[in-house]
Every structure is written in C-alpha cells, then in structure tokens.
C-alpha cells in the first residue's frame, strides 16, 4: 500500500531565502506524484505534478520538484520565497494500479517571515 | 475554470444529529471525493464516487455515508454526529483518470458539540 511522509510539519523561513519541503513515499509500483498548496481559508490547488518523463517538474510561480526513484522522494524547492508563499503544502501519490485512490502526506506549513 | 462549491463554510451541530454536507461541481466530472482534514494527518479519504449512484469506501468511512443522485452533486451524511467528527471537510472532483488534478472546494468546518 502506498504512503506519504512529509518530514517537516512546519518550515519557517525569511523572505527571499531558499526553501525545500521534503516528501518521501513508499510504493512498490510506478506512481504519479503531486504537490498541492492550500492558502488560508481555501481548498487545495494543484501546484505541480510528475507523471512520467523528465524527473524535474516546474510550476508557474517558481517552485520545482524532482522525482528521485531510488530515494522514493519528491522534494519541493524554491530558490527565493515571497511572503505570498505562506501556505500549507501537501505531497500526494497515486499508484498506477490503485484505482481512484490518492494518498496525501500530513502537510508542511511554510511560514515566510519578512 | 472548474468550480467546486460546498454549501456551508462553517457548521455547528449537536451530538446525535443527522448532518448533511453538500457539494456541487460545474464541470461534468465523473469522479467526486469527500475528505476530512485534521492537523498533522493531512487529508484522509472518506468516500468517493466515479459515477451517478456509484460509491466506494475510502480509508475512513465509518460513521459516514454518501449520496450521488446527480452527476454534479455529491452529499456526505453523518448519520449520528459524534464529537470525534469535528473536522474540516473537503470535497473534490476530477475528470478522468489519476493523471488529472483534483479540484477542491473551500471546505466546511464542522463542529459537533
């Protein structure tokens, strides 16, 4: 069965500093990987996804994530964060033969300070 | 743009009441989902539906039921609300298969007193 671990529940960082949000998953088959973002008082929005092909995927607002099959990781990075990036970030995984199931990690709260 | 609308942002109910949470999507998506969100636990799937009148249990279905009489509407029912069902509830919809993103509503914060 698939599972997702987000190692950090909270990540405080100063504005314009780089950040990495860690995500590890367990699965014995090929997977799809997703990062969702939840701004305060809102639902989740898709940030980026890995389906196949290039292991580095990017979002339109400067985030990127790299799929590492050997380490079963999909860490999210941004070289320079803004105050507006303050939100909760969820990593999610689905196995290609898992029907409709998407499994979420526990979430990481990114707190960007001025 | 996909719109997923949950009928209430905040709801307060009493123990033992029957509670209905409603969700409507406007993009003709086959798949609809109900999650609950608790701090540190992320999102946990309660039920999902892949077609009208079809439903499947998720990871934590106990104490809940669902109804999907029309394609655009997916209802979550707490048959007899208990305090441990106090949580944030999120509805989502998705077109097609797993490579497509899920679109979420803004959530209903439910308190059971």
């Amino acid at each position: 069965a698939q599972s997702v671990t987000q190692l950090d529940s909270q990540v405080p960082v100063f504005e314009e500093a780089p950040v990495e949000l860690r995500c590890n998953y367990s699965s014995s088959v090929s997977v799809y990987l997703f990062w969702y973002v939840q701004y305060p008082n809102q639902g989740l929005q898709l940030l980026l996804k890995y389906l196949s092909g290039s292991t580095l995927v990017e979002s339109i607002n400067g985030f990127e994530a790299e799929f590492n099959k050997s380490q079963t990781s999909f860490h999210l990075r941004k070289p320079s964060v803004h105050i507006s990036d303050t939100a909760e970030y969820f990593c999610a995984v689905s196995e290609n033969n898992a029907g409709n199931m998407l499994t979420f990690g526990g979430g990481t709260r990114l707190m960007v300070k001025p | 743009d996909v719109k997923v609308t949950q009928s209430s942002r905040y709801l307060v109910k009493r123990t033992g009441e029957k509670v209905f949470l409603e969700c409507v999507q406007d993009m003709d998506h086959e798949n609809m989902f109900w999650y609950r969100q608790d701090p540190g636990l992320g999102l946990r799937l309660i039920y999902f539906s892949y077609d009208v009148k079809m439903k499947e249990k998720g990871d934590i279905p106990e104490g809940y039921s669902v109804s999907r009489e029309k394609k655009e509407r997916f209802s979550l029912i707490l048959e007899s609300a208990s305090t441990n069902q106090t949580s944030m509830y999120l509805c989502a919809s998705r077109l097609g298969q797993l490579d497509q993103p899920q679109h979420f509503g803004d959530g209903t914060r439910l308190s059971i007193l």
Side-chain angles (χ1 to χ4, degrees), chain A residues 49-107:
Chain A
K49 63 182 179 181
Y50 170 79
L51 304 180
S52 63
S54 172
T55 56
L56 186 66
V57 290
E58 298 176 351
S59 73
I60 58 173
N61 57 355
F63 282 94
E64 63 179 30
E66 186 160 20
F67 169 54
N68 187 319
K69 187 175 182 180
S70 63
Q71 297 186 4
T72 59
S73 68
F74 191 54
H75 301 330
L76 182 70
R77 303 183 184 96
K78 190 171 185 179
S80 176
V81 295
H82 301 135
I83 294 287
S84 60
D85 292 324
T86 295
E88 189 150 22
Y89 293 79
F90 293 93
C91 182
V93 62
S94 62
E95 294 178 340
N96 293 352
N97 62 354
N100 260 314
M101 302 291 285
L102 186 65
T103 300
F104 287 86

Side-chain angles (χ1 to χ4, degrees), chain B residues 70-82:
Chain B
K70 294 184 178 182
K71 193 173 186 179
E72 68 270 19
R73 185 179 297 271
F74 192 36
S75 304
L76 180 69
I77 304 154
L78 286 66
E79 297 290 345
S80 177
S82 63

Side-chain angles (χ1 to χ4, degrees), chain B residues 5-111:
Chain B
T5 303
Q6 295 184 229
S7 54
S8 305
R9 290 300 304 273
Y10 301 95
L11 207 53
V12 180
K13 296 291 182 181
R14 296 210 172 270
T15 303
E17 281 192 70
K18 190 169 186 176
V19 181
F20 293 85
L21 303 184
E22 305 288 347
C23 175
V24 176
Q25 50 96 2
D26 65 355
M27 285 301 292
D28 206 36
H29 287 175
E30 305 95 331
N31 303 290
M32 295 189 74
F33 307 84
W34 275 107
Y35 295 91
R36 63 176 283 175
Q37 180 181 9
D38 299 290
L41 298 178
L43 276 70
R44 292 178 291 167
L45 183 65
I46 304 171
Y47 268 97
F48 67 92
S49 169
Y50 52 90
D51 202 350
V52 175
K53 297 190 185 296
M54 306 304 289
K55 61 184 179 184
E56 294 281 348
K57 293 180 180 179
D59 297 321
I60 51 165
E62 296 79 18
Y64 303 94
S65 62
V66 291
S67 172
R68 193 162 180 205
E69 296 297 318
K70 294 184 178 182
K71 193 173 186 179
E72 68 270 19
R73 185 179 297 271
F74 192 36
S75 304
L76 180 69
I77 304 154
L78 286 66
E79 297 290 345
S80 177
S82 63
T83 55
N84 63 11
Q85 293 178 308
T86 291
S87 186
M88 171 70 85
Y89 290 86
L90 291 169
C91 175
S93 72
R94 191 189 75 222
L95 176 69
Q97 299 304 309
L98 280 166
D99 60 334
Q100 298 297 311
Q102 292 191 7
H103 299 268
F104 286 83
D106 286 340
T108 296
R109 187 165 294 281
L110 175 65
S111 296

